[in-house]
Amino acid sequence: QELTTTRGKINHANTYAYEADPALQMLPGIRADFKIDLYTSVLRTLKSLAGDLSMLVLATKGWEVLRAPEDGNDKSQWVEGRSGHESTSFDLADFLSELDSIHESEGGRRAIKDELLEMMELLLGTVQRLLAHGKEDNNFQDDKLTLQVVSLKTGGYDRNDDLYKEILSKQLDSKDIESVVFEPKARVTVVVKSLEDVREKLLAIEHALSEHLNL
């Protein structure tokens, strides 16, 4: 539901892109031109990022395996209570909650969850403050925050290698799984790929920001 709300807000923000284009101004004002290219670039990236988060949510949901209908008139799948359905035994949410690399920092390396949330707060906050700033200078936020933006490391998360090691050390039982959709290894792969894609999208926002920072 929150992702649906987020997509709605992104689509709503898109409707203002045309109105915000400085090229449509009749007379120039004293404020610097609105950075429409940054605005539209970040919106495109956020739309794609929301898709990655949707994949993450879908992979972690506790879906039920529906048995094949007995014949063309079998409507038991529609019965309230979903009787006759076989539940998957693998709980991905529980599996992820046991991974220290996602939840715990170690040796100066941030937990993946913390690193992801910190990147989001830093980058999206910087975008908001820069777009609201009406001058062509870097006085839109604390210089330390701007330095953090341009100093973000490329590549994976701090504990990316630890994540892979933890996953490989776990026993993922695929016995009695009838569909690849419910296969534990496949679902874990989707989650890891989604986490990596989200980070790449955030770095794309950092790249778009760097083109507007006067360093």
Side-chain angles (χ1 to χ4, degrees):
Q1 184 176 356
E2 290 182 1
L3 275 174
T4 302
T5 302
T6 299
R7 286 199 198 91
K9 289 182 178 179
I10 293 172
N11 291 332
H12 187 64
N14 264 317
T15 64
Y16 291 108
Y18 178 78
E19 298 177 20
D21 192 339
L24 299 179
Q25 287 184 332
M26 297 294 291
L27 294 172
I30 59 173
R31 290 173 56 90
D33 286 346
F34 182 71
K35 297 174 176 58
I36 188 65
D37 54 339
L38 175 63
Y39 182 77
T40 54
S41 174
V42 170
L43 283 179
R44 285 194 299 270
T45 303
L46 287 176
K47 188 173 183 178
S48 180
L49 190 151
D52 295 325
L53 293 176
S54 293
M55 289 298 296
L56 206 162
V57 170
L58 286 172
T60 54
K61 283 191 71 172
W63 299 100
E64 291 182 330
V65 181
L66 302 179
R67 62 172 176 79
E70 295 179 0
D71 54 49
N73 297 315
D74 183 3
K75 298 181 180 180
S76 61
Q77 309 287 5
W78 303 347
V79 176
E80 186 177 357
R82 305 177 69 84
S83 59
H85 295 181
E86 178 188 353
S87 300
T88 56
S89 58
F90 177 67
D91 191 320
L92 182 53
D94 285 347
F95 176 84
L96 295 175
S97 69
E98 295 174 358
L99 298 179
D100 290 341
S101 53
I102 290 181
H103 303 281
E104 303 292 337
S105 299
E106 181 181 282
R109 301 189 307 277
R110 291 168 294 174
I112 289 175
K113 180 185 70 175
D114 294 340
E115 184 177 354
L116 180 57
L117 293 176
E118 287 171 12
M119 284 184 69
M120 283 186 173
E121 182 178 1
L122 172 65
L123 291 169
L124 297 183
T126 298
V127 168
Q128 183 179 18
R129 288 185 287 272
L130 182 55
L131 289 175
H133 191 58
K135 298 180 180 179
E136 293 293 348
D137 57 42
N138 270 0
N139 298 325
F140 63 95
Q141 68 177 6
D142 191 300
D143 289 343
K144 292 180 180 178
L145 293 176
T146 303
L147 183 60
Q148 288 178 33
V149 170
V150 299
S151 301
L152 287 173
K153 74 180 184 72
T154 57
Y157 295 97
D158 290 351
R159 300 204 63 186
N160 217 54
D161 291 343
D162 297 332
L163 175 63
Y164 281 101
K165 289 177 182 177
E166 278 193 281
I167 292 173
L168 291 173
S169 70
K170 304 286 186 180
Q171 289 292 333
L172 296 174
D173 187 10
S174 301
K175 185 174 62 176
D176 300 328
I177 299 296
E178 298 180 357
S179 170
V180 69
V181 175
F182 304 103
E183 208 279 325
K185 292 180 181 178
R187 294 174 65 194
V188 170
T189 299
V190 170
V191 168
V192 173
K193 184 64 168 60
S194 297
L195 286 172
E196 292 175 346
D197 288 346
V198 167
R199 194 176 198 284
E200 287 184 11
K201 301 299 189 312
L202 291 174
L203 288 175
I205 292 177
E206 184 272 335
H207 178 72
L209 276 168
S210 66
E211 297 179 355
H212 295 273
L213 299 177
N214 302 315
L215 301 177

